[in-house]
């Protein structure tokens, strides 16, 4: 498969997943604001913090309000990570590889890109009430169409690889921002407001029902453990990394417990870190610090994938390329 084709499929999938995660977070946060007591201030700043683009938002919009945050995250065509921009970029990627993806994938992406663009062009009061639910469902539908209409060859694995890495990143960001910015006052810990906010964290990644079946009562350490370390829940970071590793190895043909390029090495190291981590150690070390390190390593995995599979220069030209024999790192 050509590097250009692989890169377009990888980013098409990441952009759709990013739009899906933004929509579900906005939707749940909006519902949470409606449920809060009237004396409680709405907190819209966490939705901006999750992007890491607080400075850009403050420069263009000033204080975070419901209207300004929704415009920035959902409809701002000049912000490359808004929902409307994500669908636009996903469509551009899909257009360049129409001969590789299925006709159903192309048609579905066209339909939802047009729907979101039309909503963005309307005045705020005329935008459909169910917009974010439809975007979230579009993400599910897009994933289902790819899985059921594309051969599970290299192209499908690049789409899955992009989706899983994006999902792992967004789950960690949601957990990080909520953990720090939505903690209630000390006297509220363990109370109805505390439970309501942690329930919102779980709902934002569609994890509420599965968490309750596993743990019943809601406590912060159990929520952290479920969203970071669970092997079975499809939006937990560990599950996402395991699925990404399966696709990466299917593409390269590298057996488990070995690596032949920097992408496999970095992703394997991150998998091992989560496999042997405990939630008590993470909390003692500091959740924010742990997630900061996790996101940095996810970026390094993405950079390595770019270098190994998408860069124009041959893989053999990569500087300081590690090699491995029987799972042990050997310096060249």
């Amino acid at each position: 498969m050509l590097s250009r084709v692989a890169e377009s499929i990888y980013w098409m999938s990441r952009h759709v997943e990013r739009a899906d995660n933004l929509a579900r977070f906005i939707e749940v946060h909006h519902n949470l604001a409606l449920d809060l007591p009237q004396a409680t201030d709405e907190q819209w700043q966490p939705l901006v913090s999750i992007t890491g683009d607080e400075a850009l938002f403050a420069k263009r919009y000033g204080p975070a309000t419901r209207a300004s945050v929704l415009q920035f995250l959902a409809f701002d065509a000049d912000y490359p990570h808004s929902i409307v921009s994500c669908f636009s970029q996903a469509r551009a990627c899909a257009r360049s590889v129409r001969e590789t993806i299925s006709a159903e994938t192309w048609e579905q992406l066209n339909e939802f890109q047009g729907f979101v663009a039309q909503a963005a062009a309307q005045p705020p009061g005329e935008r459909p009430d169910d917009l974010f639910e439809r975007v979230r469902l579009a993400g599910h539908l897009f994933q289902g169409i790819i899985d059921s209409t594309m051969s599970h060859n290299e192209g499908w694995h690049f789409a899955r690889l992009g989706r899983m890495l994006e999902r792992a990143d967004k789950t960690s960001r949601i957990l990080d921002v909520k953990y720090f910015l939505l903690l209630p006052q000390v006297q509220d810990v363990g109370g109805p407001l505390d439970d309501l906010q942690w329930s919102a964290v779980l709902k934002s990644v569609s994890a509420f029902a599965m968490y309750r079946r596993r743990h019943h009562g809601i406590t912060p350490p159990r929520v952290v453990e479920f969203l970071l370390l669970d092997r079975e829940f499809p939006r937990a970071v560990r599950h996402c990394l395991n699925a990404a590793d399966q696709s990466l190895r299917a593409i390269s043909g590298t057996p488990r417990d070995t690596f032949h390029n920097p992408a496999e090495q970095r992703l394997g190291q991150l998998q091992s870190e989560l496999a042997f981590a405990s939630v008590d150690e993470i909390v003692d070390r500091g959740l924010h610090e742990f997630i900061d390190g996790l996101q940095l390593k996810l970026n390094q995995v993405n950079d390595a994938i770019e270098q190994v599979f998408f860069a124009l220069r041959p893989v053999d030209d990569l500087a300081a390329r590690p090699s491995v024999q029987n799972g042990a790192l050997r310096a060249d």
Side-chain angles (χ1 to χ4, degrees):
M1 172 173 282
L2 295 174
S3 295
R4 174 188 62 80
V5 175
E7 184 175 21
S8 292
I9 294 175
Y10 175 83
W11 278 108
M12 173 190 71
S13 186
R14 286 201 74 152
H15 286 310
V16 173
E17 182 68 25
R18 188 170 297 175
D20 175 3
N21 280 275
L22 273 174
R24 67 176 57 247
F25 193 33
I26 293 172
E27 183 184 26
V28 171
H29 193 82
H30 174 70
N31 293 334
L32 174 63
L34 295 177
D35 291 337
L36 289 175
Q38 291 185 352
T40 306
D41 293 334
E42 294 184 12
Q43 297 185 53
W44 290 97
Q45 184 61 40
L47 274 74
V48 179
S49 300
I50 196 174
T51 67
D53 291 323
E54 299 99 320
L56 176 62
F57 175 85
K59 180 180 179 181
R60 296 178 56 183
Y61 291 94
T65 64
R66 179 181 184 278
S68 62
V69 171
L70 293 186
Q71 179 63 31
F72 180 65
L73 295 181
F75 306 113
D76 191 337
D78 295 326
Y79 176 51
H81 305 303
S82 68
I83 290 176
V84 68
S85 293
C86 284
F87 272 111
S88 178
Q89 293 172 82
R91 183 181 180 277
C93 290
R95 184 175 186 177
S96 69
V97 292
R98 283 187 61 180
E99 73 284 357
T100 303
I101 62 176
S102 65
E104 291 83 356
T105 301
W106 169 246
E107 291 168 2
Q108 200 63 46
L109 198 50
N110 262 322
E111 179 180 337
F112 281 105
Q113 193 271 337
F115 168 73
V116 174
Q118 186 179 19
Q122 294 177 345
E126 298 179 12
R127 287 165 181 163
D129 294 334
D130 62 346
L131 172 68
F132 298 116
E133 181 182 359
R134 293 184 66 176
V135 172
R136 177 168 52 81
L137 293 176
H140 288 300
L141 188 56
F142 183 78
Q143 178 183 334
I145 288 175
I146 283 187
D147 288 346
S148 59
T149 64
M150 283 183 63
S151 298
H152 289 200
N153 53 17
E154 282 187 340
W156 182 84
H157 281 294
F158 272 112
R160 186 186 186 215
L161 179 60
R163 180 172 71 246
M164 288 299 151
L165 290 179
E166 181 68 28
R167 185 176 295 177
D169 178 79
K170 284 296 178 289
T171 297
S172 70
R173 288 178 185 274
I174 289 172
L175 186 58
D176 188 28
V177 172
K178 287 287 188 181
Y179 186 79
F180 274 91
L181 298 184
L182 284 184
L183 279 178
Q185 301 297 320
V186 174
Q187 61 270 22
D188 293 327
V189 173
L193 182 59
D194 195 18
D195 288 346
L196 189 65
Q197 292 182 334
W198 281 107
S199 296
V201 172
L202 292 167
K203 289 176 181 176
S204 65
V205 290
S206 299
F208 184 73
M210 293 300 103
Y211 172 89
R212 292 299 295 266
R213 290 185 182 181
R214 175 75 61 84
H215 295 297
H216 304 293
I218 293 177
T219 65
R222 284 179 175 174
V223 175
V224 170
E225 182 180 34
F226 191 73
L227 295 185
L228 284 182
L229 305 179
D230 195 87
R231 291 183 305 170
E232 299 174 348
F233 183 65
R235 290 189 173 273
V237 172
R238 186 180 175 189
H239 176 93
C240 292
L241 295 184
N242 290 344
D245 184 68
Q246 291 169 6
S247 284
L248 186 58
R249 293 181 182 280
I251 293 168
S252 64
T254 303
R256 292 183 61 183
D257 301 325
T258 61
F259 66 88
H260 292 100
N261 61 61
E264 293 168 352
Q265 179 196 22
R266 291 171 183 172
L267 184 53
Q269 289 172 336
L270 191 50
Q271 279 184 287
S272 297
E273 183 178 342
L274 290 183
F276 293 100
S278 74
V279 68
D280 292 336
E281 292 172 347
I282 292 173
V283 172
D284 289 343
R285 173 181 165 186
L287 178 62
H288 178 67
E289 288 74 14
F290 180 85
I291 291 180
D292 256 1
L294 173 65
Q295 290 172 354
L296 176 62
K297 292 166 187 172
L298 284 171
N299 289 337
Q300 290 173 344
V301 171
N302 179 74
D303 291 343
I305 290 171
E306 295 270 357
Q307 286 187 326
V308 172
F309 296 106
F310 307 150
L312 294 178
R313 58 199 173 99
V315 175
D316 289 342
D317 289 347
L318 291 173
R321 180 191 178 203
S323 60
V324 65
Q325 288 182 337
N326 298 325
L329 182 64
R330 174 176 63 82
D332 281 327

